[in-house]
């Protein structure tokens, strides 16, 4: 009897989860469970920003707090808003490679990401 009760409860939980996922997808959610509530600002690949001048250097930022593709899009968008910076962000290793065509102070990069809730642990 206890096994039947456990199975019924398990079936209800799985059914509720499936219903939630179906409803979220019907409402246009792109990444279910992310901090934005599944409403990422864009879908698919992020278009790489083209710099005005030639690349004079690159910096690698280690970033704490990225958990999903929405985070990657937010970090990429924020870094690309800085004049002279083009960023490529990877969730798998929690980093961003920043190419720049003019000198960019590390503090500018760090402050930009900390303003949106991420923590830069190192810049090299």
């Amino acid at each position: 009897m206890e096994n039947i009760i456990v199975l019924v409860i398990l079936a209800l939980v799985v059914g509720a989860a499936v219903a939630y996922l179906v409803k979220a997808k019907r409402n246009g959610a792109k990444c279910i469970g992310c901090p934005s509530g599944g409403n990422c600002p864009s879908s698919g690949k992020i278009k790489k920003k083209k710099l005005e001048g030639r690349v004079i250097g690159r910096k690698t930022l280690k970033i704490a707090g990225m958990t999903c593709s929405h985070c990657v899009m937010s970090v990429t968008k924020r870094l690309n808003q800085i004049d002279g910076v083009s960023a490529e962000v990877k969730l798998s290793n929690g980093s961003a490679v920043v190419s720049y065509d003019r000198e960019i102070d590390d503090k500018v990069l760090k402050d930009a990401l900390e303003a949106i809730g991420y923590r830069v642990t190192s810049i090299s």
Side-chain angles (χ1 to χ4, degrees):
M1 185 64 169
E2 291 113 15
N3 290 341
I4 294 174
I5 293 172
V6 170
L7 288 175
V8 168
I9 291 172
L10 184 60
L12 289 172
V13 169
V14 170
V18 169
Y20 170 78
L21 292 173
V22 169
K23 181 179 177 187
K25 281 296 185 182
R26 282 189 185 149
N27 289 334
K30 293 175 185 74
C31 55
I32 298 166
C34 75
S36 71
N39 296 312
C40 293
S42 64
S43 62
K45 288 193 162 200
I46 300 169
K47 190 173 179 180
K48 188 166 180 162
K49 178 181 172 186
K50 186 168 171 73
L51 296 174
E52 293 173 18
R54 68 176 185 81
V55 174
I56 64 168
R58 288 183 175 78
K59 296 181 182 187
T60 301
L61 287 70
K62 290 291 185 181
I63 304 163
M66 291 194 304
T67 59
C68 67
S69 59
H70 174 263
C71 297
V72 170
M73 286 185 277
S74 295
V75 168
T76 303
K77 182 178 175 185
R78 182 64 174 192
L79 288 171
N80 284 343
Q81 288 175 342
I82 300 170
D83 286 336
V85 170
S86 175
E88 185 176 332
V89 181
K90 296 197 184 285
L91 180 62
S92 59
N93 59 3
S95 69
V97 175
V98 174
S99 302
Y100 49 93
D101 64 3
R102 61 196 79 164
E103 286 302 320
I104 304 292
D105 189 50
D106 291 352
K107 184 168 175 30
V108 171
L109 300 170
K110 185 176 178 181
D111 289 348
L113 295 183
E114 289 181 352
I116 59 170
Y118 299 96
R119 188 169 54 87
V120 177
T121 58
S122 71
I123 301 176
S124 56

